[in-house]
Amino acid sequence: MQSSGHSISWETGDVPRSSLFDDTFYTRRNGQAETAYVFMDGNGLPRRWADAGRFTIGELGFGTGLGFLETWRRWIETRSPSQCLVFTSFEAYPISADDMARALEPWKTLTPLSGTLVSRWRARSTLAMPWQMDEQTQLHVMPGEAEASVANWSGLADAWYLDGFSPDKNPAMWSAALMQQVFDHTVAGGSFATYTAATRVRRHLQDAGFAVNKRKGFAGKREMMFGQRTAGPVGTRYAIAFRDA
Ligand SMILES: C[S@@+](CC[C@H](N)C(=O)[O-])C[C@H]1O[C@@H](n2cnc3c(N)ncnc32)[C@H](O)[C@@H]1O
């Protein structure tokens, strides 16, 4: 893991803002609900877990770990005993453990899971990844620039959370080359979801091979995108049934 050089400032309600990218790590409205709506619902989760023995999620941008923690919380609520979740996140500019603890403190339904993550994060240079977070949950945070580290990743994701900072401020997280790597590292019938609906990103995703759809965005955002690496005719593997934003 690279050393923590990611400096953070704080907006009202302890919402972290990156000084490197001049953007917040998640919506000011409710980052936990945004994760549930955009990334989980957008990928058909937790419903798709029902018939999976092992399910792999890839995430671009680990940030505070909020996306992982909300996923882990829902996974614990819904999993059956023999199932396994592998969560692999790609992160080049890790935040400090103190900043992570401060960012996660407001999310009371995520304790004690957030405490477990922060302790691991604080000691991370001495611990080998992947981390076994519980007997059915593995976390792997891959260091370095996402484009290179996804290209070198030997895994395939069933679902992707595309969560870079906004495309205007963080173009490397939405490049054509990276979207192609994401597609190439998705199982047939796998999916992605993202909060953005930027035209340039949509084109990169479509050019890579994804079937791309839009739906209403979270908390007042007009649109977000989700889609599939189709296996045969569109929508063969699962149908997405959405809640309201
Ligand atoms: C919007 S934040 C992710 C929020 C996160 N999912 C959470 O739950 O807090 C975007 C993240 O992408 C990381 N990042 C930005 N550019 C990157 C790049 N080129 N490669 C890998 N990570 C990058 C940033 O350091 C930041 O942590």
Side-chain angles (χ1 to χ4, degrees):
M1 178 88 45
Q2 273 172 236
S3 64
S4 174
H6 203 151
S7 88
I8 306 284
S9 61
W10 298 93
E11 298 197 350
T12 313
D14 270 352
V15 175
R17 182 179 193 85
S18 163
S19 312
L20 272 178
F21 293 95
D22 188 27
D23 198 4
T24 57
F25 280 71
Y26 36 78
T27 171
R28 294 175 189 85
R29 294 280 285 275
N30 184 333
Q32 185 178 2
E34 181 184 39
T35 294
Y37 177 82
V38 172
F39 298 110
M40 297 197 63
D41 223 28
N43 276 300
L45 304 175
R47 199 165 31 81
R48 283 170 70 205
W49 287 335
D51 40 47
R54 174 190 171 97
F55 195 92
T56 299
I57 294 175
E59 178 187 56
L60 297 187
F62 189 69
T64 64
L66 184 61
F68 165 69
L69 287 167
E70 175 60 6
T71 305
W72 188 19
R73 183 182 77 79
R74 300 285 298 281
W75 170 244
I76 289 169
E77 279 176 4
T78 54
R79 68 193 181 187
S80 327
S82 60
Q83 293 182 300
C84 168
L85 176 70
V86 180
F87 192 102
T88 300
S89 188
F90 297 85
E91 175 58 62
Y93 312 98
I95 66 172
S96 71
D98 286 346
D99 285 340
M100 181 180 280
R102 178 168 171 179
L104 295 175
E105 208 280 330
W107 312 110
K108 302 299 181 200
T109 59
L110 295 178
T111 52
L113 304 182
S114 46
T116 303
L117 175 64
V118 171
S119 313
R120 288 280 183 129
W121 200 254
R122 209 175 281 292
R124 71 190 187 280
S125 56
T126 60
L127 291 176
M129 286 260 184
W131 294 335
Q132 197 69 44
M133 302 303 284
D134 64 35
E135 62 286 355
Q136 290 175 254
T137 313
Q138 249 185 38
L139 170 64
H140 201 169
V141 183
M142 309 285 279
E145 285 289 320
E147 190 182 320
S149 45
V150 177
N152 290 329
W153 184 41
S154 58
L156 290 177
D158 295 287
W160 280 95
Y161 297 0
L162 307 184
D163 197 18
F165 290 115
S166 79
D168 286 345
K169 295 178 171 175
N170 191 191
M173 282 292 252
W174 308 96
S175 69
L178 180 52
M179 296 303 100
Q180 188 65 59
Q181 286 302 333
V182 166
F183 180 82
D184 292 347
H185 288 82
T186 304
V187 299
S191 63
F192 77 85
T194 179
Y195 66 86
T196 187
T199 306
R200 195 173 62 246
V201 176
R202 175 171 53 78
R203 291 211 183 101
H204 293 338
L205 288 162
Q206 286 172 329
D207 290 347
F210 283 112
V212 179
N213 303 285
K214 287 185 190 168
R215 67 184 285 217
K216 189 171 173 301
F218 178 75
K221 277 204 166 180
R222 209 158 59 86
E223 290 177 318
M224 58 162 273
M225 294 189 288
F226 64 99
Q228 269 183 279
R229 175 173 182 154
T230 56
V234 174
T236 46
R237 174 110 176 251
Y238 69 98
I240 294 183
F242 290 130
R243 297 174 293 178
D244 290 336

